[in-house]
């Protein structure tokens, strides 16, 4: 059924694209007069970035393409210091869609636009992925190909009064190419210095005319990239192999980037003139990819619910027990169903050959007994599940814009977008089915996010006698419906088999499928109305104010305000400031999702089963949960822009963001057997094996302060043209208040120090004749991963507010690093370009190697919390054709 929808959506996108086209041509207004046009953060005719009353960064499409990486998240991280994203190696769905953050706030506190229109969220809720982003559900920007982009504008300021929910940290507006002619083609290949992660990418863009003044511009990209591995030997695997169990692979657990296969991306952008004052526009996309990553190794001598029971003995199933129930009359010695359960089947002491031999003999006897069964019979070397998803994403925007005879500009639009993640789990089992079903591959269900937006926007310039410029009056209406759907996994992925009563783990192990009780369609609608006023009151002073009222079906209403000003002391020096309130509505997914996963216990380093339940669940409410409310923010910024020399531009901005009722998952809350049994009775598969649960909460308050400095300098000389740029961000977050019942010390430390406080990007791009050379240096300040394991030797390396509250915690602390990229290009016949380059040219690793028990027990060499990844240096080559 999903495939049918995808084909229909793609066909509709292509059909509509040939007829229609994108939002208000604000991008085009003034383009002849303003060299660098920005439209984000204003509904007035486009202005330059240095004249804007709020900080806006503008990056051309070529700046995004001139990099070795091909992932949009990594591209933005390289250009924007306050944009942070890591590589999630073993992190459930956060491996499928990586959570990124702007200005120290989670992904869903940044609003994503395409051509000025709201982009739908991704289907994945990142329950894992680091405390800073845990529980977030942001848009999936990785589906946007860089070849499709004319430019990217990043508004580093709160903008909820202008755009609505999510625009607390800022706004990223991806502006699609609108050329009506031209063709470009790019082929890219490369691999990491380690010899893995091989990349192949093919991308193309074409512009065609539609009528006398219209255009149709389309881009397509195909990408395939192999997985990487930065793993080392696990201590338990070494012991097993030394004892003679060669069924265990030497590298049993993979830490690295997942495999990316059949990654297709298609975007189009089009417009056609209906009359001299009205145009019809449209854009849309279709994307799909398969992501396949690793999970934790299951030890054949120790994994509870699979190879062992709750007492640490071999888990032996009695095949003769009535309905699988242990009744004391079973015929398999040593099983729970036996009249005399035996303690003789304790996994062996691997350092004692006699103990190993006795255990092998006992396992052989069980395998020969038709009344008995143990998982070791089919998985003697244990197993490591593979987790992934087939991801689909498509959207369609259609609208009409123009100007009435009265001079009022209008823009009526409708948009619909869908993100769908179809999860699967391989190389695992549902052990409660025992030998009745030895299935090892499971479809565990889908998350589907869909959004409908209807907008009516108006703008008119009104002459005010005392004002230097006309007053731009803008207003509009919006209706938005957001839907989150959980689709049931195949039965074998969640059902409790007949051996559940004998201790067998229920559901596909590692990521249990979504059971019927967990599935559903969860909707929320809201309506909004806004008013926006902007004018040059005097030749020096620009004022802007906005107010927005929204009503949500589930939690009520919110009203937000914004005021901004820019005062021009001279043509080369402008002071600007803004103050605003903001909000983020909880998503339907956050309010309703139920999930099971495997994680590492922070206290012991052992693998444990944990669950996530909705805050409306009676058990969650017993533990202190309440229905989710919106986050509320206060945002203040002040700064200046200066052009002290010809070709030199400098902007400096300070920001302060107070965020109340912040939404995120709680820390893991330990539960007892009685609560676990209640969860299983409520339909959560395998809950009796849980050690903890979590839920979403408005559980804490933070204050984030920061400074952004951006400088660019263009130098023309006989030696060629050189463009220099520097961007520095300092961000500090403090947890001001929290609920200690649900937010632990490790969570607070990660919120305050998981991101580097200082980030610097330095770029030099030099062109001489047909040659171009680029050098980029990126600085990452020290960072901290909290409470990795009990007994770690690492000290508390930074004084946090959490440390004062609970000084017993120990943290992993990592040094600052510089990452250097280089690139050289040669263009011939004005149309063909060859590029070679290296990213992380000095092969800097992801901080120090682990010195605690977690590294040796899991085979992890480098922290997964590294802000620049752990894969090391990457070389690449590109060939471009541009007509």
């Amino acid at each position: 059924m999903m495939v049918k929808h995808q084909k229909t959506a793609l066909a509709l996108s292509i059909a509509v694209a040939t007829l229609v086209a994108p939002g208000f041509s604000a991008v085009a207004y003034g383009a002849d007069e303003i060299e660098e046009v920005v439209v984000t953060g204003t509904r007035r005719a486009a202005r330059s970035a240095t004249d804007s009353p709020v900080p806006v960064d503008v990056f051309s499409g070529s700046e995004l393409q001139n990099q070795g990486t091909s992932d949009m998240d990594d591209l933005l991280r390289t250009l924007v210091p306050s944009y942070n994203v890591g590589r999630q190696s073993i992190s459930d769905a956060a491996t499928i869609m990586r959570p990124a953050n702007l200005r120290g706030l989670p992904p869903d506190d940044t609003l994503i636009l395409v051509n000025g229109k709201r982009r739908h969220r991704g289907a994945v809720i990142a329950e894992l992925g680091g405390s800073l982003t845990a529980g977030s559900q942001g848009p999936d920007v990785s589906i946007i190909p860089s070849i499709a982009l004319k430019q990217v504008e990043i508004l580093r300021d709160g903008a909820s009064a202008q755009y609505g929910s999510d625009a607390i940290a800022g706004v990223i507006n991806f502006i699609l190419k609108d050329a009506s002619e031209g063709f470009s083609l790019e082929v890219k290949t490369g691999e990491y210095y380690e010899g893995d992660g091989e990349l192949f990418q093919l991308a193309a863009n074409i512009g065609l005319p539609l009528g006398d003044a219209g255009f149709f511009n389309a881009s397509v990209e195909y990408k395939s990239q192999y997985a990487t591995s930065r793993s080392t030997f696990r201590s338990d695997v070494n012991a097993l192999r030394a004892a003679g169990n060669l069924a265990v692979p030497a590298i049993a657990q993979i830490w690295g980037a997942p495999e990316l296969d059949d990654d297709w991306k298609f975007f189009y952008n089009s417009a056609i003139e209906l009359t001299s004052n009205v145009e019809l526009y449209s854009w849309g996309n279709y994307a799909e990819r398969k992501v396949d990553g690793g999970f934790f190794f299951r030890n054949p001598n120790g994994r509870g619910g699979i190879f062992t029971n709750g007492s640490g003995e071999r888990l032996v199933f009695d095949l003769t027990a009535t309905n699988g129930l242990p009744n004391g009359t079973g015929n398999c010695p040593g099983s729970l169903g036996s009249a005399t359960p035996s303690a003789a089947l304790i996994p062996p002491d691997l350092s004692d050959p006699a103990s190993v031999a006795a255990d092998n003999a006992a396992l052989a006897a069980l395998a020969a007994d038709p009344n008995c069964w143990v998982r070791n019979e089919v998985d003697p070397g244990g197993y490591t599940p593979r987790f992934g998803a087939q991801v689909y994403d498509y959207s369609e925007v259609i609208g009409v814009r123009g100007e009435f005879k009265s001079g009022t500009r209008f823009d009526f639009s409708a948009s619909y977008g869908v993100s769908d993640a179809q999860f699967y789990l391989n190389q695992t089992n549902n052990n409660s089915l025992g030998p009745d079903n030895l299935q090892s591959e499971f479809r565990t269900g889908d998350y589907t996010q869909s959004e409908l937006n209807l907008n009516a926007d108006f703008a008119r310039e009104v002459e005010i006698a005392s004002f230097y410029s006309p007053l731009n009056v803008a207003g509009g209406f919006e209706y938005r419906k957001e839907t989150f759907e959980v689709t049931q996994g195949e039965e074998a992925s969640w059902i409790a088999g007949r051996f559940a009563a004998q201790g067998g783990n229920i559901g596909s192990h590692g990521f249990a499928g979504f059971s019927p009780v967990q599935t559903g369609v969860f909707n929320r609608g809201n309506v909004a109305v806004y008013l926006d006023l902007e004018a040059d009151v005097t030749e020096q002073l620009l004022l802007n104010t906005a107010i927005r009222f929204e009503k949500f079906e589930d939690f009520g209403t919110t009203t937000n305000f914004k005021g901004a000003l820019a005062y021009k002391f001279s043509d080369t020096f402008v002071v600007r400031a803004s103050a605003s309130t903001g909000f983020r509505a909880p998503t339907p997914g956050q309010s309703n999702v139920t999930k099971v996963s495997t994680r590492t216990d922070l206290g012991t380093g052992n693998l444990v089963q944990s669950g996530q339940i909705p805050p409306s669940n009676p058990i969650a409410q017993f533990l202190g949960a309440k229905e989710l409310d919106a986050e509320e923010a206060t945002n203040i910024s002040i700064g200046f822009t200066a052009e002290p020399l010809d070709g030199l531009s400098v902007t400096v901005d300070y920001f302060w963001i107070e965020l109340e009722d912040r939404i995120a998952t709680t820390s893991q809350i330990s539960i007892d057997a009685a609560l676990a049994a209640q969860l299983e009775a409520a339909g959560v598969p395998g809950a009796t094996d849980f050690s903890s649960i979590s839920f979403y909460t408005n559980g804490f308050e933070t204050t984030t302060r920061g400074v952004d400095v951006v400088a660019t300098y263009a130098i023309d000389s006989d030696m060629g043209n050189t463009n220099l740029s520097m961007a520095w961000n300092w961000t500090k977050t403090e947890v001001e208040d929290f609920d200690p019942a649900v937010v632990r010390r490790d969570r607070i430390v990660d919120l305050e120090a998981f991101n580097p406080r200082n980030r610097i990007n330095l770029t030099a791009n030099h062109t001489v004749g047909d040659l171009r050379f680029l050098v980029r240096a990126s600085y990452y300040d020290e960072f901290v991963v909290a409470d990795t394991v009990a007994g770690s030797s690492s000290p508390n390396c930074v004084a946090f507010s959490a440390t004062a509250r609970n000084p017993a915690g120990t943290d992993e602390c990592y040094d600052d690093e510089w990452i250097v990229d280089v690139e050289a290009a040669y263009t011939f016949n004005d149309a063909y370009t060859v590029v070679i380059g290296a990213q992380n040219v000095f092969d800097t690793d992801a901080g120090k190697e682990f010195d605690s028990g977690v590294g040796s027990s899991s085979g992890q060499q480098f922290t997964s919390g590294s802000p620049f990844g752990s894969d090391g240096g990457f070389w690449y080559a590109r060939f471009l054709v541009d007509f």
Side-chain angles (χ1 to χ4, degrees):
M1 182 175 66
M2 191 67 201
V3 173
K4 179 181 178 181
H5 290 326
Q6 291 151 6
K7 290 180 178 179
T8 302
L10 179 59
L12 178 62
S13 295
I14 295 173
V16 173
T18 61
L19 299 175
V20 295
F24 243 145
S25 282
V27 174
Y29 290 176
D32 293 335
E33 294 80 25
I34 302 174
E35 182 177 353
E36 185 179 77
V37 177
V38 298
V39 297
T40 309
T42 181
R43 287 186 167 87
R44 197 178 179 188
R47 62 177 65 253
S48 71
T50 54
D51 287 339
S52 173
V54 290
V56 181
D57 296 323
V58 182
F59 301 101
S60 66
S62 61
E63 289 179 275
L64 293 166
Q65 287 183 272
N66 292 339
Q67 297 189 43
T69 182
S70 56
D71 183 276
M72 184 56 66
D73 277 313
D74 291 333
L75 295 173
L76 292 175
R77 179 185 65 192
T78 302
L79 295 174
V80 184
S82 59
Y83 191 90
N84 286 279
V85 62
R87 168 62 66 191
Q88 306 301 324
S89 297
I90 303 178
S91 202
D92 276 12
T95 303
I96 309 302
M97 295 182 190
R98 295 194 295 158
N101 59 83
L102 183 69
R103 301 175 105 187
L105 298 179
D108 39 16
D109 279 343
T110 299
L111 179 62
I112 303 298
L113 307 176
V114 174
N115 283 356
K117 303 293 185 182
R118 177 183 288 267
R119 180 76 182 168
H120 59 274
R121 302 181 193 279
V124 163
I125 302 176
E127 289 91 352
L128 303 181
S131 290
L132 190 64
T133 58
S136 60
Q137 188 185 1
D140 181 12
V141 302
S142 69
I143 58 91
I144 303 175
S146 60
I147 200 170
L149 296 175
K150 178 179 181 180
Q151 66 186 46
V152 177
E153 299 176 359
I154 300 180
L155 169 63
R156 295 179 279 105
D157 195 48
S160 291
Q162 296 165 297
Y163 297 107
S165 178
D166 307 350
I168 292 176
V171 178
I172 302 178
N173 188 10
F174 295 91
I175 299 176
L176 301 174
K177 289 180 178 177
D178 55 5
S180 60
E181 60 182 7
F183 172 78
S184 59
L185 175 72
E186 178 184 4
V187 181
K188 179 189 291 186
T189 187
E191 68 176 20
Y192 287 96
Y193 290 5
E194 294 286 337
D196 57 11
E198 298 94 329
L199 167 72
F200 174 76
Q201 178 177 307
L202 178 66
N205 171 267
I206 188 169
L208 300 170
L210 279 182
D212 294 333
F215 68 90
F216 172 73
N217 192 282
S219 302
V220 64
E221 178 185 287
Y222 169 80
K223 181 171 67 174
S224 176
Q225 187 162 19
Y226 289 105
T228 64
S229 174
R230 299 297 174 265
S231 310
T232 187
F233 302 102
R234 290 173 55 114
S235 55
D236 58 345
V237 167
N238 287 342
L240 286 164
R241 290 178 60 85
N245 189 346
L246 299 182
V248 184
I251 299 296
Q253 184 171 315
I254 304 301
W255 293 92
E259 182 176 346
L260 190 64
D261 196 18
D262 288 334
D263 185 1
W264 286 96
K265 304 168 186 175
F266 168 75
F267 264 84
Y268 80 88
N269 187 22
S270 60
I272 189 168
E273 192 175 85
L274 300 180
T275 71
S276 59
N277 293 323
V278 179
E279 68 176 4
L280 189 65
Y281 65 87
S282 175
W283 67 85
N285 82 283
Y286 176 83
E288 63 176 72
R289 69 180 184 272
K290 182 180 180 181
V291 185
D292 185 88
F295 260 21
F296 287 92
F297 171 66
R298 271 61 176 168
N299 189 304
N301 284 357
R303 186 62 175 134
I306 305 294
F307 297 104
T308 63
N309 61 29
S311 301
E313 303 167 6
R314 293 281 185 198
L315 179 57
V316 182
F317 290 158
D318 185 345
L319 305 183
T320 66
T322 305
N323 297 321
L325 296 175
N327 54 18
T329 61
N331 296 318
C332 175
S335 71
L336 290 177
S338 172
T340 57
S342 172
L345 291 172
I346 297 176
D349 176 1
L350 296 177
S351 63
D352 181 1
S355 177
V356 172
D359 183 68
N360 288 339
L363 289 175
L366 288 170
D369 191 333
N371 299 318
C372 304
W373 189 82
V374 290
R375 174 60 58 181
N376 301 73
E377 294 181 33
V378 294
D379 290 309
Y383 59 93
T384 304
R386 298 289 300 178
F387 172 70
Q390 184 73 43
V391 178
Y392 298 94
D393 186 288
Y394 51 88
S395 67
E396 185 66 49
V397 179
I398 184 170
V400 59
R401 64 190 170 208
E403 186 173 309
F404 295 121
K405 292 182 179 180
S406 63
T408 300
R409 303 191 300 276
F410 64 87
D411 185 349
F412 302 109
S413 65
S415 64
Y416 181 71
V418 175
S419 174
D420 179 67
Q422 301 177 2
F423 300 112
Y424 66 83
L425 197 66
N426 297 335
Q427 299 177 198
T428 186
N429 60 79
N430 180 344
N431 204 42
S432 70
L433 298 173
D436 296 345
N437 184 342
L438 296 179
Q439 180 176 343
S440 61
E441 300 181 0
F442 300 87
R443 275 287 313 277
T444 56
D446 301 8
Y447 280 164
T448 306
Q449 174 78 15
S450 61
E451 296 180 30
L452 171 69
N453 289 275
L454 304 175
N455 293 84
D457 301 297
F458 305 91
R460 181 187 179 103
E461 292 186 345
V462 178
E463 293 290 343
I464 305 293
S466 59
F467 283 8
Y468 181 75
S469 76
L471 173 67
N472 191 79
V473 181
F477 307 90
E478 180 180 59
Y479 170 77
R480 184 155 58 98
K481 184 175 183 180
E482 189 174 349
T483 302
F484 186 78
E485 181 177 1
V486 181
T487 303
Q488 179 180 320
E490 63 175 299
E491 185 179 68
S493 72
W494 53 264
I495 195 170
R498 68 187 179 107
F499 298 103
Q502 294 190 34
N505 185 83
I506 300 171
S508 48
H509 196 226
F511 192 100
F514 304 134
S515 69
V517 175
Q518 294 173 268
T519 62
V521 179
F522 311 103
N523 297 304
R524 184 186 61 217
N526 69 285
V527 294
V529 59
Y530 76 89
L531 178 66
D532 189 307
L533 305 174
E534 184 173 337
D536 293 303
V537 178
T538 69
E539 186 176 359
Q540 291 78 31
L541 178 64
L542 179 151
L543 294 179
N544 168 262
T545 185
I547 180 172
R548 187 182 186 96
F549 171 84
E550 295 208 26
K551 181 177 181 181
F552 290 81
E553 290 179 343
D554 49 358
F555 65 83
T557 63
T558 178
T559 303
N560 290 274
F561 307 87
K562 181 169 185 175
L565 64 86
Y567 189 84
K568 184 182 294 186
F569 284 91
S570 69
D571 290 339
T572 59
F573 186 76
V574 178
V575 173
R576 59 193 182 189
S578 70
S580 64
T581 62
F583 76 103
R584 181 177 78 80
T587 72
Q590 290 171 326
S591 298
N592 295 282
V593 72
T594 300
K595 184 175 172 293
V596 180
S597 61
T598 302
R599 66 183 70 219
T600 302
D601 180 77
L602 292 176
T604 66
N606 296 328
L607 296 184
V608 294
Q609 291 284 96
S610 60
Q612 185 165 339
I613 57 178
S616 58
N617 186 292
I619 296 173
Q621 296 197 344
F622 171 78
L623 294 170
K626 298 179 181 179
E627 293 288 345
L628 292 179
D629 201 352
E631 295 179 349
E632 296 183 352
T634 302
N635 198 315
I636 296 173
S637 69
I638 185 169
F640 67 86
T641 70
E643 297 178 351
L645 300 174
D646 186 30
L648 174 62
S649 174
V650 180
T651 68
V652 179
D653 294 278
Y654 169 83
F655 61 89
W656 179 87
I657 306 170
E658 183 180 74
L659 192 54
E660 299 178 346
D661 293 328
R662 188 162 167 172
I663 301 170
T665 52
T666 66
S667 299
Q668 292 299 307
I669 302 171
S670 298
I671 61 173
D672 57 26
L675 282 177
Q678 290 183 47
L679 284 168
E680 190 156 297
V684 181
T688 52
D689 193 35
F690 284 3
S691 64
S692 61
I693 59 172
S694 63
F695 49 82
Y696 287 93
T697 179
N698 296 99
F700 56 104
E701 174 184 327
T702 61
T703 298
T704 300
R705 301 174 179 87
V707 177
D708 286 306
V709 178
V710 179
T712 60
Y713 189 32
I715 305 172
D716 295 334
S717 70
D718 294 339
M719 299 295 293
N721 302 320
T722 303
N723 291 310
L724 304 175
S725 67
M726 185 278 288
W728 169 58
N729 168 259
W730 171 83
T731 298
K732 179 181 180 182
T733 294
E734 293 182 287
V735 177
E736 305 289 355
D737 192 16
F738 68 100
D739 181 354
V742 295
V743 179
R744 297 190 319 196
R745 175 194 179 277
D746 62 283
R747 182 67 189 275
I748 297 171
V749 172
D750 278 349
L751 287 164
E752 294 184 341
F754 187 77
N755 274 352
R757 286 189 179 170
N758 287 279
R759 284 278 317 278
I760 302 173
N761 292 341
L762 304 173
T763 303
N765 199 352
H766 180 72
T767 302
V768 52
D770 295 328
L771 292 172
R772 180 177 61 83
F773 303 95
L774 180 144
V775 178
R776 181 187 298 111
S778 301
Y779 174 76
Y780 297 84
D781 204 353
E782 64 178 17
F783 64 98
V784 179
V785 179
D787 282 336
T788 55
V789 67
S792 169
S793 60
S794 299
N796 292 319
C797 54
V798 181
F800 311 107
S801 61
T803 303
R805 294 168 185 157
N806 181 4
T810 55
D811 312 308
E812 288 283 359
C813 311
Y814 298 89
D815 296 332
D816 57 339
E817 298 285 359
W818 282 93
I819 305 297
V820 178
D821 308 331
V822 296
E823 183 176 278
Y826 175 69
T827 300
F828 56 96
N829 293 337
D830 295 328
Y832 306 97
T833 302
V834 177
V835 182
I836 57 172
Q839 201 139 4
N840 192 358
V841 67
F842 298 117
D843 198 25
T844 303
D845 64 36
K848 67 180 181 182
E849 294 187 359
F850 268 82
D851 61 3
S852 67
V854 171
S856 61
S857 66
S858 66
Q860 184 178 7
Q861 288 194 81
F862 308 110
T863 175
S864 57
S866 169
F868 53 85
S870 59
D871 288 325
F874 180 84
W875 70 264
Y876 61 91
R878 300 162 53 208
F879 178 70
L880 299 91
V881 179
D882 195 357
F883 293 109

